Amino acid sequence: MDLPPLRLGPRARLWRSLSGAAVVGALFYTSAYGSNDHFPLGPMTQFAFSVQDDGGTISSFWLEADTVDGRHIELSRSAVGTGMKRAEIEGQMSRIVRDPSLLQGIAEGQHRLHPGGPRLARIYVVQEIKTLRQGKVVSTMRQNRVVWDVR
């Protein structure tokens, strides 16, 4: 026995149309004026950029630290290691540069996640900049962008 197809009434069609238009409008607005904080309706800029073949640069950030026992280590680039993913560090760089004390939370997260691991004395946000010529890396520069003495 075949049942007749159900049809949407005028109110249901209007509601669905307005909902769809609101989502598309939010996507356009956050794409033009939003940040990674608005994802998935905003840009995810760590994957959405292009680099010029000649003179273009690729910039990346990661965390390194000095331990209280005098070793220099690279911190994990995953949330499992420090409580923050590398992409989150990159997305928060302007805030971290303005307020390096935000790195204290990384030290606390590292200790909380790995209580038997080394205690951190100083945290560095390291920036690597690669310059391209004809699509090939011709120079690499590393610098400590932010340094924080752990309390």
Side-chain angles (χ1 to χ4, degrees), residues 14-143:
L14 177 63
W15 181 85
R16 286 186 181 193
S17 296
L18 290 176
S19 298
V23 169
V24 170
L27 180 59
F28 280 123
Y29 178 79
T30 58
S31 293
Y33 304 106
S35 68
N36 285 340
D37 293 337
H38 298 114
F39 184 79
L41 287 180
M44 196 153 148
T45 56
Q46 67 263 31
F47 299 113
F49 68 91
S50 63
V51 178
Q52 295 176 346
D53 283 346
D54 282 332
T57 60
I58 300 170
S59 181
S60 60
F61 298 90
W62 65 87
L63 298 172
E64 294 181 0
D66 293 333
T67 64
V68 294
D69 60 3
R71 293 181 295 138
H72 186 82
I73 60 173
E74 183 177 324
L75 298 179
S76 172
R77 297 182 187 202
S78 72
V80 173
T82 60
M84 261 184 110
K85 295 178 184 176
R86 177 180 170 177
E88 291 177 282
I89 296 292
E90 291 186 4
Q92 298 295 324
M93 271 310 296
S94 60
R95 288 184 62 213
I96 293 170
V97 167
R98 280 192 313 269
D99 183 10
S101 69
L102 294 171
L103 294 174
Q104 183 67 35
I106 298 291
E108 292 166 1
Q110 170 87 5
H111 181 66
R112 187 174 49 256
L113 292 167
H114 307 284
R119 299 286 303 220
L120 305 180
R122 178 175 284 166
I123 297 177
Y124 305 87
V125 178
V126 180
Q127 180 180 23
E128 182 177 74
I129 301 171
K130 295 180 179 183
T131 304
L132 303 178
R133 292 276 185 259
Q134 297 178 347
K136 305 269 191 235
V137 175
V138 294
S139 69
T140 301
M141 181 185 76
R142 286 181 56 168
Q143 65 182 0

